Amino acid sequence: MLTEVRIYPVGVVRVADGAVCIEIFKAYREAMLGLEGFSHIHVLFWFHENDTAELRRTLQVHPRKDPSNPLTGVFATHSPMRPNLIGLTRCRIMGIEESRILIDAIDARDGSPVIDIRCFIPDAQPLAEVRLPKWV
Amino acid sequence: MLTEVRIYPVGVVRVADGAVCIEIFKAYREAMLGLEGFSHIHVLFWFHENDTAELRRTLQVHPRKDPSNPLTGVFATHSPMRPNLIGLTRCRIMGIEESRILIDAIDARDGSPVIDIRCFIPDAQPLAEVRLPKWV
């Protein structure tokens, strides 16, 4: 059983003056071929500001930092504190310029390492019977 | 700039006799609190069988292994060959038994390390103007 896997960032989130883009490192640029055919992508990034042993040990939070929400395991939230600090956001592609993917918005900070980009393919049919807890 | 991040698996995919579950390691069990309120989760796992330097250098593929599909960058696909071998699947929760999350199906193999679980919250409204390439 693997006890550790190594992730090498493939790019970085850049936020400046309201414009948001993902800068893909040169070594990975070929992996962008065909992205222009999609309107949306899933971006996986690293919550680098939380990369401390203590924050990675945080297993329960009050969702949305609201103490009136019930104490909840981080797997049942999108909290930026979690054992593996992976953020996942669906973004709209606004344009592609060489190694940059311009996007509408992302809940990452300037400088957040990007660890994967995946094309977004919506469900062919709406999902049946989705259940959510009250705090959502 | 980070050049490497370390991921510690939080569980493992178990597939046996048509039943599929995620076994969360004891150290991370508290992070499951509240999962029972959701019908669906996103599971992030590691394509451990592809964890070789050569496969991680594969940046372009023919989607769905079909040579009639155009050569495409892996960021514009869900290929299990990619620089960081992260699989992402939405699963329906069929039940929760102590440290096990029973799910309907997953495109991972028995023994695939699980690196994160996130509650699935659907869009409040259907996404406007989704564009996809022909091969999808």
Side-chain angles (χ1 to χ4, degrees):
Chain A
M1 174 67 61
L2 284 172
T3 56
E4 186 183 323
V5 299
R6 289 176 185 224
I7 298 259
Y8 306 103
V10 297
V12 62
V13 174
R14 291 290 178 209
V15 182
D17 303 326
V20 190
C21 81
I22 293 159
E23 206 172 292
I24 298 292
F25 299 145
K26 203 174 170 182
Y28 299 102
R29 224 171 118 174
E30 284 178 36
M32 295 170 63
L33 180 68
L35 265 184
E36 66 282 359
F38 289 91
S39 56
H40 293 78
I41 46 176
H42 270 133
V43 178
L44 278 76
F45 60 93
W46 191 250
F47 289 114
H48 63 299
E49 292 173 352
N50 294 345
D51 201 347
T52 67
E54 192 192 339
L55 291 178
R56 293 183 71 166
R57 273 195 303 267
T58 304
L59 296 184
Q60 299 186 337
V61 296
H62 293 279
R64 298 172 183 157
K65 295 185 187 162
D66 181 342
S68 70
N69 284 332
L71 196 64
T72 302
V74 295
F75 294 161
T77 74
H78 296 171
S79 170
M81 286 184 288
R82 45 205 315 115
N84 293 312
L85 303 161
I86 301 174
L88 170 64
T89 308
R90 188 190 55 218
C91 305
R92 176 178 284 277
I93 298 176
M94 308 303 285
I96 296 177
E97 294 175 356
E98 298 188 355
S99 60
R100 288 182 177 181
I101 308 168
L102 314 181
I103 54 175
D104 57 343
I106 191 168
D107 55 341
R109 304 285 181 87
D110 183 58
S112 292
V114 171
I115 60 177
D116 202 5
I117 304 281
R118 311 166 69 84
C119 61
F120 172 71
I121 302 175
D123 295 309
Q125 298 197 322
L127 211 57
E129 297 169 58
V130 174
R131 201 174 71 245
L132 301 168
K134 276 187 188 160
W135 67 261
V136 173
Chain B
M1 175 65 63
L2 284 171
T3 56
E4 184 182 325
V5 298
R6 289 176 185 223
I7 299 259
Y8 307 103
V10 297
V12 63
V13 174
R14 291 290 177 212
V15 183
D17 302 325
V20 190
C21 81
I22 293 159
E23 204 172 293
I24 298 293
F25 300 145
K26 202 174 172 183
Y28 299 102
R29 221 169 120 176
E30 283 178 38
M32 294 171 64
L33 180 69
L35 265 184
E36 66 282 359
F38 290 91
S39 57
H40 293 77
I41 47 176
H42 270 133
V43 178
L44 279 75
F45 59 93
W46 191 250
F47 288 114
H48 63 297
E49 293 174 351
N50 293 345
D51 201 347
T52 68
E54 192 191 340
L55 291 178
R56 293 183 69 166
R57 273 195 303 268
T58 304
L59 296 183
Q60 299 186 337
V61 298
H62 293 279
R64 298 169 185 161
K65 296 185 186 164
D66 181 343
S68 70
N69 284 332
L71 196 64
T72 302
V74 293
F75 294 162
T77 74
H78 295 173
S79 171
M81 285 184 288
R82 43 205 318 114
N84 293 311
L85 302 162
I86 300 174
L88 170 63
T89 308
R90 189 191 54 218
C91 305
R92 175 178 283 276
I93 298 176
M94 308 303 285
I96 296 177
E97 294 175 357
E98 297 188 354
S99 60
R100 288 180 176 184
I101 309 169
L102 315 182
I103 54 175
D104 56 344
I106 191 167
D107 55 342
R109 304 285 182 90
D110 184 58
S112 292
V114 171
I115 61 178
D116 203 5
I117 303 281
R118 310 166 68 83
C119 61
F120 172 71
I121 301 175
D123 295 309
Q125 298 197 321
L127 212 57
E129 296 168 58
V130 174
R131 200 174 71 247
L132 300 169
K134 275 186 188 161
W135 66 261
V136 173

